């Protein structure tokens, strides 16, 4: 363990030293005069053979073989080798910089940046490096880092492995180009990271890109850069692997000519943010059994175009979240495609859309859950829900499922759940599903209101007020909503119930004392509790498993991603995930199917922080 930390410390030291000295080395070559430009190659330390200008396409070249070494190539010089090693032996560091226009280093076969030691390669100012195979971090314990920077700077090769058995890092920036005639791989059996950043920066591979093959891989594309994959992309390829990709910012783009598998047999995470773009022929989230794939699309201008199928939970488990104005377009859509698969998709927030040109199946042979909330919109030519699947859609914010331009067919053999939270206006009427033909034998659950199966209109229930700790009695065939207040803390919570015959006796009690203190000890930095309640219910109108839509009043100025949900089982708190969590400027709403303790926390607006702190202090004293 001690030697491992020593190796990391040496690597950090040399990386920092190289970042500072490499640009100065190139500048120094220019300052020294014409005789230096003619030589164009400067070495220090252990370089074998010692004169790189004498190397040929048959040379085994070492920069840092048995001791540390460096090489700078500039002034239009060209260096050749059969194989290149940067940092050959364990504990040895080898560093190469190739700088200025027309300077080049070419290896006919392999280029190892970090063979068993640590290697650093920097290509800048229009220089070029070429190799047949490129490795960043080849053997166990090795580390390799490459930076290609500036317009005209290039690294071309047949195959590129970033993190083979050791750790690898690739950075392509400021208009530089990296191209692979074959595959690209981040984290073959170790950890590999690539960042492609800045307008004009590009990494292109003629075959597949593996982000996490058998190890862990991370890809980041930002500030207008682009990655082009001519065949398929895989995030989390083998079982146990982890692959993550982020495309961030306007004009940043990942183009995949064939399939993109987020979680092929391992775990994959894809994020398209703040105007990023993805184009591909098909997307599979959770491709095979045991795989787990998650995709999050967020922000106005963020766009995903899928010319074929978008399968959320193909044979494994998949999760799709479209929020904050992002748009997804696909030919067909599947949530839970094959038997045993599970797929969940959420479209939430104004401007957020999923446009399906043909058919959308919520559960095909597997099970699926679709949530449309907070003004999100989904369109499809036809729409089907299997008997193991659920559609949940809220009312009051413009959420809409439109099928066949409002003339298509909805086939419901599962469950359609229509939800009215605390913010919905009593007596208002909505048509959140627009279709021409309604088929199937599935259920339509009205929560917080009533549903007319003929006109397909949802009418919001009146609200029965109540106080913390005091039972509220509701005849659910008449009123399905209540709002409970706690004056001391300023908290309030709404509860919306299933429209059915029978009476429910419902009690919501604001949490105080040690239980509240235990929750505060778990909060992320800066978070405060915006509401913590314990719920109980009895009566003929309630059955365990019935959906109840809770609405915690949390105030304005937050985003859905700011909210953290918690569950109290009677003895301890734990993080809670709700697939239908929605937030529309005042209330955080989500469905539960059993009563116990629940809470919401977030970083509040500065203007409300003092009031919340006073309320929380009072509750703790109680």
């Amino acid at each position: 363990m001690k030697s491992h930390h020593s190796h990391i410390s040496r690597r950090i030291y040399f990386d920092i030293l190289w970042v500072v000295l490499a640009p100065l080395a190139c500048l120094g070559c220019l300052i020294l005069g014409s005789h230096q430009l003619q030589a164009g190659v400067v070495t220090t330390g252990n370089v074998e053979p010692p004169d790189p200008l004498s190397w040929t396409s048959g040379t085994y070249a070492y920069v840092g073989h048995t001791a540390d070494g460096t090489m700078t190539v500039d002034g239009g010089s060209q260096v050749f080798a059969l194989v290149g090693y940067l940092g050959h032996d364990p504990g040895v560091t080898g560093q190469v910089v190739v700088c200025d226009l027309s300077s080049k280093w070419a290896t006919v076969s392999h280029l190892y940046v970090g063979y068993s030691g640590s290697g650093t390669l920097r290509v800048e100012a229009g220089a070029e490096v070429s190799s047949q195979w490129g490795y960043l971090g080849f053997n166990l314990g090795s580390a390799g880092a490459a930076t290609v920077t500036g317009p005209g700077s290039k690294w071309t090769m047949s195959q590129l492995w970033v993190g083979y058995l050791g750790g690898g890092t690739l950075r392509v920036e400021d208009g530089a180009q990296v191209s692979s005639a074959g595959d690209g791989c981040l984290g073959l059996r170790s950890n590999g990271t690539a960042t492609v950043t800045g307008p004009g920066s590009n990494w292109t591979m003629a075959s597949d890109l593996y982000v996490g093959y058998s190890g862990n891989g991370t890809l980041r594309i930002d500030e207008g850069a682009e990655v082009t994959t001519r065949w398929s992309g895989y995030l989390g390829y083998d079982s146990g692997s982890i692959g993550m990709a982020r495309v961030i910012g306007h004009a940043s783009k990942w183009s995949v000519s064939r399939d993109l598998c987020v979680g092929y047999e391992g775990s994959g995470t894809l994020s398209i943010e703040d105007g990023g773009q993805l184009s591909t022929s098909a997307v599979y989230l959770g491709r095979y059994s045991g795989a787990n794939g998650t995709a999050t699309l967020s922000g106005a201008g963020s766009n995903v175009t899928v010319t074929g199928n978008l399968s959320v939970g193909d044979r494994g488990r998949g999760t799709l979240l479209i929020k904050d104005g992002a748009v997804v377009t696909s030919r067909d859509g599947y949530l839970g495609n094959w038997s045993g698969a599970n797929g969940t998709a959420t479209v939430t927030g104004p401007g957020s859309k999923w446009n399906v040109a043909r058919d959308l199946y919520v559960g095909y042979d597997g099970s699926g859950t679709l949530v449309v909330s907070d003004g999100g919109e989904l369109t499809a030519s036809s729409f089907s829900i299997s008997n193991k699947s659920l559609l949940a859609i809220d009312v009051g914010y413009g959420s809409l499922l439109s099928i066949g331009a409002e003339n298509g067919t909805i086939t419901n053999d599962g469950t359609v759940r229509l939800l009215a939270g605390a913010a919905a206006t009593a007596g208002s009427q909505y048509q959140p599903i627009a279709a021409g033909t309604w088929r199937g034998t599935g259920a339509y659950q009205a929560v917080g209101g009533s549903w007319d199966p003929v006109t397909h209109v949802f009418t919001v229930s009146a609200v029965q007020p109540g106080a913390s700790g005091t039972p509220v009695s509701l005849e659910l065939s008449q009123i399905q909503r209540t709002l409970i207040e706690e004056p001391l803390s300023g908290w309030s919570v709404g509860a919306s119930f299933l429209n059915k015959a029978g009476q429910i006796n419902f009690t919501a009690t604001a949490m105080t004392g040690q239980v509240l203190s235990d929750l505060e000890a778990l909060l992320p930095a800066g978070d405060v509790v915006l509401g913590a309640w314990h719920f109980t219910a009895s009566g003929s109108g309630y059955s365990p498993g019935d959906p109840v839509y809770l609405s915690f009043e949390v105030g304005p100025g937050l985003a859905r991603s700011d909210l953290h949900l918690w569950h109290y089982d009677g003895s301890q708190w734990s993080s809670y995930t709700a697939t239908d969590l929605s937030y529309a400027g005042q209330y955080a709403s989500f469905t539960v199917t059993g009563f116990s303790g629940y809470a919401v926390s977030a970083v509040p607006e500065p203007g409300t922080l003092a009031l919340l702190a006073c309320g929380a202090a009072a509750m703790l004293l109680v």
Side-chain angles (χ1 to χ4, degrees):
M1 199 66 176
K2 181 180 178 181
S3 63
H4 174 68
H5 284 288
S6 177
H7 170 72
I8 292 175
S9 298
R10 283 198 301 273
R11 178 186 172 193
I12 293 172
Y13 170 78
F14 281 111
D15 285 349
I16 294 173
L17 188 64
W18 193 242
V19 168
V20 174
L21 294 182
L24 296 179
C26 287
L27 180 61
C29 292
L30 296 175
I31 294 173
L32 287 172
S34 60
H35 67 282
Q36 184 63 45
L37 289 174
Q38 290 172 359
V41 178
V42 177
T43 64
T44 65
N46 179 232
V47 176
E48 302 174 8
D51 180 11
L53 289 174
S54 69
W55 297 352
T56 70
S57 58
T59 300
Y60 286 81
Y62 299 86
V63 180
H65 187 181
T66 58
D68 297 346
T70 72
M71 177 177 73
T72 300
V73 181
D74 70 355
S77 299
Q78 298 190 3
V79 175
F80 300 92
L82 175 63
V83 179
Y85 298 94
L86 281 64
H88 184 273
D89 287 2
V92 171
T93 296
Q95 300 170 332
V96 170
V97 59
V98 187
C99 60
D100 79 42
L101 191 64
S102 300
S103 297
K104 183 176 181 179
W105 184 24
T107 60
V108 176
S109 185
H110 301 68
L111 175 56
Y112 299 98
V113 182
Y115 183 75
S116 292
S118 297
T120 301
L121 172 67
R122 185 176 178 88
V123 187
E124 63 184 22
E128 183 177 351
V129 169
S130 64
S131 58
Q132 184 69 13
W133 293 280
Y135 299 90
L136 304 181
F138 183 70
N139 282 321
L140 286 172
S142 66
T147 298
V148 187
T149 180
S153 301
K154 298 178 181 178
W155 184 11
T156 60
M157 78 289 291
S158 175
Q159 308 272 354
L160 176 59
W161 286 273
V162 181
Y164 190 77
L165 295 177
T169 302
L170 171 68
R171 186 173 179 86
V172 186
E173 62 184 20
D174 297 336
Q177 307 285 311
V178 171
S179 61
S180 313
D183 297 334
C185 181
L186 307 176
L188 184 78
R189 294 180 180 87
S190 185
N191 298 321
T193 299
T195 300
V196 187
T197 181
S201 301
N202 184 274
W203 179 17
T204 300
M205 61 230 64
S207 188
D208 300 324
L209 174 58
Y210 300 90
V211 182
Y213 188 91
S214 293
N216 300 335
T218 302
L219 172 66
R220 181 184 176 102
I221 309 166
D222 64 17
E223 297 185 9
E226 185 170 353
V227 169
T228 304
T229 305
R230 301 294 185 195
W231 285 54
S232 298
Y234 302 93
L235 306 181
Y237 184 74
D238 276 349
S239 178
S241 65
I242 299 174
M244 296 180 287
R246 297 179 68 188
V247 185
I248 308 170
H250 176 70
S252 300
K253 186 175 183 179
W254 187 8
S255 301
V256 183
S257 298
R258 296 192 178 183
D259 302 344
L260 174 59
C261 299
V262 182
Y264 187 73
E265 291 184 345
S267 296
T269 302
L270 171 68
S271 181
I272 312 294
E273 309 167 40
D274 300 330
Q277 300 176 40
L278 168 70
S279 63
T280 183
S281 65
V283 172
Y284 300 95
L285 306 180
R287 185 70 167 99
Y288 286 106
S289 178
N292 194 317
T294 299
T296 301
L297 306 316
S298 62
S302 297
N303 185 279
V304 172
T305 301
V306 185
T307 57
N309 294 340
L310 172 48
S311 185
V312 183
D314 193 56
R315 289 178 172 85
R317 179 176 295 273
T319 303
L320 172 65
L321 173 59
I322 306 168
K323 65 177 185 174
D324 301 335
V327 176
V328 174
T329 302
S330 66
R331 187 191 65 188
D332 297 291
Y334 298 86
L335 308 181
N337 192 8
W338 293 84
S339 178
N342 183 278
T344 299
T346 301
V347 186
T348 183
S352 302
K353 296 181 180 180
W354 183 8
N355 300 316
V356 182
R358 298 198 313 195
D359 304 322
L360 176 60
Y361 299 92
V362 182
Y364 193 72
D365 285 333
S367 61
T369 299
L370 173 64
V371 178
V372 185
S373 65
D374 286 354
E377 184 175 344
L378 191 147
T379 65
S381 292
S382 70
F383 184 85
S384 299
I385 309 170
S386 76
N387 61 0
K388 296 174 285 186
S389 301
L390 168 71
L391 162 67
I393 184 167
D394 65 10
V395 301
Y397 306 110
S399 304
L400 177 65
L401 169 61
S402 179
I403 306 167
E406 304 185 8
N407 293 310
T409 299
I410 176 172
T411 303
N412 174 26
D413 290 316
T415 301
V416 173
R417 183 177 295 161
L418 302 111
L419 302 163
T425 303
S428 297
Q429 295 186 325
Y430 300 95
Q431 288 183 293
I433 303 174
T437 303
W438 300 68
R439 295 177 178 170
T441 59
Y444 288 85
Q445 295 180 337
V447 179
S450 58
W451 170 254
D452 189 322
V454 177
T455 63
H456 310 116
V457 169
F458 183 95
T459 303
V460 178
S461 166
V463 177
Q464 176 69 48
S468 173
T470 302
V472 174
S473 181
L474 300 174
E475 176 54 56
L476 293 183
S477 63
Q478 303 297 320
I479 297 179
Q480 297 87 34
R481 293 196 300 165
T482 184
L483 184 64
I484 310 297
E485 295 185 349
E486 167 49 60
L488 188 62
S489 64
W491 293 344
S492 66
V493 65
S496 300
F497 301 98
L498 194 62
N499 188 325
K500 58 187 291 189
Q503 188 178 54
I504 185 171
N505 300 307
F506 175 73
T507 304
T509 305
M511 291 187 172
T512 61
Q514 188 60 48
V515 174
L516 190 58
S517 296
D518 292 344
L519 172 59
E520 296 207 350
L522 298 175
L523 299 183
D527 265 26
V528 298
V529 177
L530 304 180
W533 297 82
H534 187 269
F535 304 100
T536 60
S538 63
S540 61
Y542 175 73
S543 301
D546 281 354
V548 179
Y549 199 48
L550 300 178
S551 296
F552 285 68
E553 187 170 18
V554 296
L558 302 173
R560 186 182 188 274
S561 57
D562 296 332
L563 302 170
H564 301 109
L565 306 185
W566 305 90
H567 176 247
Y568 185 70
D569 64 2
S571 61
Q572 62 182 3
W573 289 98
S574 60
S575 179
Y576 182 74
T577 300
T579 57
D580 65 346
L581 171 64
S582 67
Y583 170 74
Q586 191 68 25
Y587 288 92
S589 301
F590 55 96
T591 300
V592 300
T593 54
F595 288 117
S596 52
Y598 294 92
V600 179
S601 71
V603 178
E605 283 284 277
T608 61
L609 183 58
L611 292 175
L612 288 168
C614 291
M619 296 305 290
L620 288 171
L621 287 173
V622 171

